[in-house]
Amino acid sequence: MDPRHQARTPDSAPSNRADSDRADSDGAAVAGTAGVHCAALSDFIERSPTPWHAASAGGDLLAGAGFIELGVSQDFDSPPEKGFVVRDGSLVAWSGLPAAAATATRMIGAHTDSPGLRIRPRPDTGRAGLRQLAVEVYGGALINSWLDRDLTLAGRVTVSDGDSPSGLRTELVHPRGPLLRVPQLAVHLDRDVNTEGLKLNPQQHLKPVWGLGSDSEGDLREFLAELLGLPSPESVLGWDLCAVDTQAPDRLGRDGELFAAPRLDDLCCSYGALEALMAAPLSGRPSLVVLNDHEEVGSSSSTGADGAWFAQVLERLVVGSGGDRSALLRSLSESEFLSADMAHGTHPNYPERHEPNHWVTLGGGPVIKHNANQRYATDGEGGAAFKLACANSGVPFQEYSHRGDIPCGSTIGPVVAAGLAIRTIDVGMPQLSMHSVRELMAVADIDHMVGSFSSWLAG
Ligand code: ZN
């Protein structure tokens, strides 16, 4: 095994490339783009190559700020005032609790998953003297961006463990260093690619190569056993593995005012929600954050926003605090949910793809998303409440409405609004290259996000 491919421990996170202002050749910082929160977001993204890592990294952040973790099946009687619970790739956290009597709560929701390539259960394959892994596309990935990138694997692996009551143990893995690559066909063998467009068949054209030789059954399982230091590959019983980019987040641009990273959608807003919660005053109204997995595939799962888990946690918190279901429902009727997911900045090379009265600028602050057909849940009153939060924190805001002749995307907002009957406002931070393996936003908007989200929870 390549020595770079070591199992990841929480302490092995790499140094953060975005943790200081860029330096010129004399070592002096380039002025003008402070980016107070850029370094911390970069670190969170590096620690979160998959939804399961993101939920774990979010828990680490919260624990470091004094939040107490409850187990998913733990008794929620008298829950801690600042606490969180993690289930698979999802997390719910709170600061202050919905009291027994109906209490209006402000919440922020975001999602931990991102589109990309997932490893199949029987992945070992190969052809033409190259070993390959079979993959399946997860969500609406911009799959051309995955070509010719140095990728690695990350996710969770379940192994047999005689010491565990279930006989199983699940570990997070993220071997460092390039391991996989999906090579693009040479232009000499695809002469029209630049004029006719790149056509990719997800079954045929996306299998990454990861070595020389012929395919051998059990290749990946052997690799995982080595990675985890297991005595035999037979101990590896299951996995949820993603292909992930190895390039670290970094600032770019004339003055370092842009930020390029994988999975900005929606680790950026996940980070912003956690930061705001950690800064929320305990004396104010209760605050909650939910980070859900599976948004990119419709949110319908045991831990997705369209599933029952979040509502169950809310009910357990209220009942555990001495309230009843009626108190929970009254609280929800007065509460407000900020659905935070990334937004489309106006692309300078494709301005005609955007609604001409609703252009969105990178660096221009959070975007309030509107859609009359409820692809976004924002209404006039909810949008106004968020505008007030922006004003109170000195943060500019922008308003988005999709072109009428292109189908509009959606996010967790409408499903949460429907599931909990709660006022919901869809907002997000502007970015380009949405669903690419590497996305782009403005450094200043990271600070705009934390400022406006904090103001929202405090409001
Ligand atoms: Zn998203």
Side-chain angles (χ1 to χ4, degrees):
M1 173 179 293
D2 186 316
R4 292 171 301 177
H5 301 146
Q6 301 300 316
R8 185 178 191 218
T9 66
D11 294 327
S12 65
S15 64
N16 191 322
R17 293 187 184 185
D19 61 356
S20 62
D21 281 341
R22 287 157 64 96
D24 62 19
S25 55
D26 296 317
V30 175
T33 50
V36 174
H37 293 281
C38 186
L41 171 60
S42 178
D43 187 56
F44 181 65
I45 290 171
E46 283 264 75
R47 290 174 182 271
S48 307
T50 72
W52 312 287
H53 287 84
S56 170
D60 290 345
L61 276 180
L62 293 166
F67 286 65
I68 295 167
E69 180 170 12
L70 297 184
V72 278
S73 56
Q74 196 174 329
D75 201 331
F76 273 35
D77 280 355
S78 302
E81 206 170 16
K82 296 199 302 179
F84 67 97
V85 56
V86 171
R87 181 171 176 179
D88 298 320
S90 295
L91 174 152
V92 178
W94 59 90
S95 172
L97 276 176
T103 307
T105 303
R106 278 208 165 165
M107 313 182 193
I108 305 177
H111 67 90
T112 56
D113 61 320
S114 301
L117 306 178
R118 299 283 176 101
I119 308 300
R120 291 186 187 271
R122 297 192 59 190
D124 305 304
T125 184
R127 195 182 270 177
L130 285 160
R131 285 187 282 171
Q132 294 173 283
L133 293 177
V135 295
E136 191 175 8
V137 176
Y138 176 84
L142 203 53
I143 51 180
N144 67 296
S145 68
W146 288 81
L147 304 178
D148 295 341
R149 303 285 302 185
D150 293 341
L151 309 172
T152 186
L153 295 169
R156 57 183 185 175
V157 180
T158 301
V159 304
S160 57
D161 181 352
D163 295 331
S164 161
S166 66
L168 300 172
R169 181 179 83 249
T170 296
E171 294 198 27
L172 296 179
V173 298
H174 184 197
R176 298 294 176 160
L179 187 60
L180 316 168
R181 185 181 173 109
V182 186
Q184 186 170 353
L185 186 63
V187 70
H188 314 82
L189 305 175
D190 194 4
R191 288 289 186 188
D192 298 327
V193 65
N194 289 328
T195 50
E196 301 298 318
L198 177 65
K199 294 190 173 64
L200 292 169
N201 179 311
Q203 176 65 29
Q204 288 180 283
H205 301 145
L206 297 180
K207 288 192 275 288
V209 299
W210 78 317
L212 299 175
S214 57
D215 71 293
S216 80
E217 182 76 24
D219 213 10
L220 177 68
R221 190 187 268 203
E222 272 178 35
F223 174 83
L224 294 173
E226 276 185 58
L227 183 71
L228 294 169
L230 302 173
S232 119
E234 281 66 43
S235 301
V236 176
L237 297 177
W239 55 73
D240 301 295
L241 289 171
C242 311
V244 296
D245 196 10
T246 56
Q247 187 179 356
D250 209 348
R251 289 170 69 157
L252 65 87
R254 165 69 173 76
D255 293 318
E257 66 271 55
L258 297 171
F259 180 60
R263 305 179 296 280
L264 285 174
D265 177 10
D266 186 28
L267 293 181
C268 178
C269 294
S270 296
Y271 162 79
L274 293 171
E275 276 293 326
L277 185 71
M278 290 188 290
L282 272 175
S283 55
R285 70 169 108 188
S287 303
L288 278 115
V289 162
V290 57
L291 308 182
N292 283 119
D293 196 357
H294 299 132
E295 188 274 344
E296 299 292 358
V297 292
S299 292
S300 184
S301 73
S302 61
T303 55
D306 202 16
W309 188 60
F310 181 43
Q312 288 179 0
V313 171
L314 288 178
E315 185 164 356
R316 291 171 70 190
L317 287 173
V318 170
V319 171
S321 304
D324 56 17
R325 185 164 171 76
S326 172
L328 168 69
L329 298 181
R330 274 184 289 140
S331 170
L332 286 174
S333 70
E334 294 183 343
S335 297
E336 294 165 301
F337 188 93
L338 193 69
S339 159
D341 198 356
M342 297 303 275
H344 295 293
T346 299
H347 197 301
N349 297 343
Y350 300 88
E352 73 283 359
R353 301 295 174 100
H354 301 266
E355 212 293 316
N357 277 351
H358 296 86
W359 280 18
V360 166
T361 311
L362 266 60
V367 179
I368 304 167
K369 307 176 188 175
H370 303 265
N371 184 265
N373 295 298
Q374 294 299 301
R375 301 293 289 170
Y376 300 126
T378 314
D379 61 11
E381 282 190 21
F386 183 70
K387 289 174 191 174
L388 211 52
C390 290
N392 289 338
S393 53
V395 169
F397 65 83
Q398 309 181 74
E399 304 205 68
Y400 183 78
S401 184
H402 207 66
R403 277 190 72 92
D405 51 5
I406 301 177
C408 183
S410 191
T411 179
I412 60 171
V415 295
V416 170
L420 296 181
I422 188 171
R423 162 157 283 153
T424 299
I425 304 100
D426 275 300
V427 302
M429 307 316 299
Q431 68 160 106
L432 298 180
S433 308
M434 189 177 284
H435 290 192
S436 164
V437 72
R438 195 167 176 86
E439 301 174 319
L440 188 69
M441 69 180 297
V443 171
D445 282 331
I446 306 167
D447 295 345
H448 289 146
M449 169 180 67
V450 175
S452 61
F453 288 8
S454 297
S455 176
W456 167 257
L457 290 185

